[in-house]
Amino acid sequence: MVTILHTSQSGFTQEFGAIVQRGQDDLHSAEQIVLPLLEEIRTQGLEALLSQVARFDGFAPKDLADLVITQEECAKAYQNLDSTTKDALHIAYDRITAFHTKQKQKSWFDSDEHGSILGQIYTPIQRAGLYIPGGKAAYPSSVLMNAIPALVAGVREIIVCTPTPQGQANPLLLAALHICGIKEMYRVGGASAIGVFAYGLESSGKTLIPKVDVISGPGNVFVATAKKLVFGKVGIDMIAGPSEIAIIADSSANPAYIARDLLSQAEHDEMACSLLFTTSQKLAEEVASRIEELLPSLPKSAIANASIQNRGGIVVCKDIDEAITLCNELAPEHLELMFDDAFAHLPAIKNAGAIFVGENTPEAIGDYLAGPNHTLPTGGSAKFFSPLSVDTFMKKSSLIAFSQQGIDKLAEPCAHLAELEGLYAHKLSALVRKS
């Protein structure tokens, strides 16, 4: 049965608080498993990696060559696609590229009245590690969503890791890698892949895979935890764990749409979170009934059912404003708005990875080819993380070039501030340049 809660009922605050804490609890419980795996990769290199792949992915590679995915494999997979699939992937590639191209920022320079130049220089990172999920399912869309922003940014070295159960890579995933022109790819998944990205891979003192500068890509709770643990040694896009969707709807919303949209996230993972916030008790009951009718027919019904039972639910709210307040606290990965005058309420929505407005905009269209990125913050981290973007793969450097007139004008106040902080050499450094 789908759980239906009411904001007016006793104990709701505590129950909802537990949902809000979902991400923190998940990551904390996974740390004791992930930490030793990362340390093995860091200290034992290739030997540890081969052992971990054999342990988790069901095949026994003898050396690094057994983990390599070749460009020839990817090209063959692409050639074997039917025309409908090729067309769909290229439509997605073109739309995602067009959207992300608009994100790219340009370096800028400005001068003040003294002729001093200030500015900001944008440069791509040198090496990116892209994690592509491939455990319970393979996601060619994740290849496009991660590779395209890196390519648009101008990253020169892109390394892809993806889990391949029994050593078999999904042909659709390989085809997407071919479309993106990726050259370096490995059959490595989970925390092991994050360890390789963060520390590089060595054997007998020789570097086999260099460490990357930034890691991007979604994954399960172990991948998200590993990214959290290595952050600081490398950059990361965000903490992206199990999928989430929240829907705000009033009595005018279509229950058939809502039920399917909730299940679209539930079928990802048993730990996925699917929640409806509605002002209508009738809609709540209709959606719950539709979900129970649909569940047995889904190919992944066991996964979806576990998700709905343990992480899903419906919250009946007194009004739309209350629903928005709760969603802002939840900070969901995906937020669908299915109520009248939704655009007028957008300023009130503060925390969401991606917002889908109107009944004709299912979250699924964003997963594949709307254009914006589908790699989004989860577990409440939409309060401080943004979607994967071109910015993920770029960094900014400040530019400062003072003229003689400029340093003459500002040396004294600079020296004064340095003296206030007790930094005498700073003071001298500024004053010595006065003409």
Side-chain angles (χ1 to χ4, degrees), residues 74-338:
C74 296
K76 182 178 180 181
Y78 175 77
Q79 291 162 5
N80 290 337
L81 293 180
D82 61 82
S83 60
T84 301
T85 303
K86 282 183 180 179
D87 289 346
L89 285 172
H90 281 287
I91 289 171
Y93 180 91
D94 290 344
R95 290 184 62 87
I96 297 165
T97 300
F99 180 86
H100 287 80
T101 298
K102 293 181 175 68
Q103 293 179 337
K104 190 169 183 180
Q105 300 190 58
K106 296 180 180 179
S107 299
W108 59 268
F109 306 94
D110 195 13
S111 60
D112 61 20
E113 68 274 20
H114 308 299
S116 298
I117 299 173
L118 303 176
Q120 201 164 60
I121 299 174
Y122 287 86
T123 54
I125 61 149
Q126 294 299 297
R127 187 178 298 114
L130 312 185
Y131 184 83
I132 309 300
K136 288 185 172 65
Y139 299 106
S141 58
S142 288
V143 174
L144 303 181
M145 293 290 185
N146 281 268
I148 289 172
L151 292 168
V152 171
V155 178
R156 300 184 68 175
E157 297 179 52
I158 298 175
I159 302 172
V160 167
C161 282
T162 185
T164 56
Q166 286 72 54
Q168 301 301 309
N170 183 279
L172 284 172
L173 189 150
L174 297 180
L177 289 167
H178 173 75
I179 290 172
C180 293
I182 305 301
K183 298 177 181 178
E184 187 172 356
M185 302 155 283
Y186 299 96
R187 306 172 200 274
V188 181
S192 308
I194 304 305
V196 171
F197 287 148
Y199 305 120
L201 189 71
E202 292 190 354
S203 179
S204 302
K206 180 182 178 182
T207 299
L208 304 177
I209 301 175
K211 73 181 291 293
V212 302
D213 301 311
V214 167
I215 301 171
S216 78
N220 61 21
V221 66
F222 302 107
V223 172
T225 301
K227 287 169 70 176
K228 175 187 175 184
L229 292 172
V230 301
F231 177 60
K233 296 186 180 297
V234 294
I236 63 170
D237 52 351
M238 68 192 76
I239 307 297
S243 297
E244 304 169 348
I245 188 171
I247 301 174
I248 301 177
D250 62 14
S251 59
S252 68
N254 188 324
Y257 291 179
I258 294 173
R260 286 162 175 79
D261 291 357
L262 292 171
L263 288 170
S264 73
Q265 296 310 291
E267 70 179 355
H268 272 296
D269 192 295
E270 293 91 343
M271 296 176 72
C273 181
S274 301
L275 296 168
L276 167 64
F277 298 83
T278 180
T279 55
S280 169
Q281 176 69 26
K282 180 182 178 183
L283 182 72
E285 294 171 357
E286 289 178 345
V287 169
S289 177
R290 300 277 183 132
I291 288 174
E292 289 163 14
E293 290 173 6
L294 286 165
L295 265 171
S297 66
L298 293 178
K300 297 184 177 181
S301 59
I303 292 174
N305 185 61
S307 170
I308 291 294
Q309 293 294 327
N310 300 322
R311 296 293 185 101
I314 299 172
V315 179
V316 179
C317 306
K318 65 180 181 181
D319 54 32
I320 291 295
D321 289 339
E322 183 180 53
I324 290 175
T325 297
L326 292 173
C327 279
N328 279 333
E329 183 62 22
L330 183 69
E333 177 187 16
H334 308 101
L335 176 61
E336 291 187 359
L337 306 181
M338 294 193 190

Side-chain angles (χ1 to χ4, degrees), residues 344-358:
H345 285 79
L346 284 179
I349 296 171
K350 308 301 182 184
N351 304 317
I355 303 168
F356 302 79
V357 182

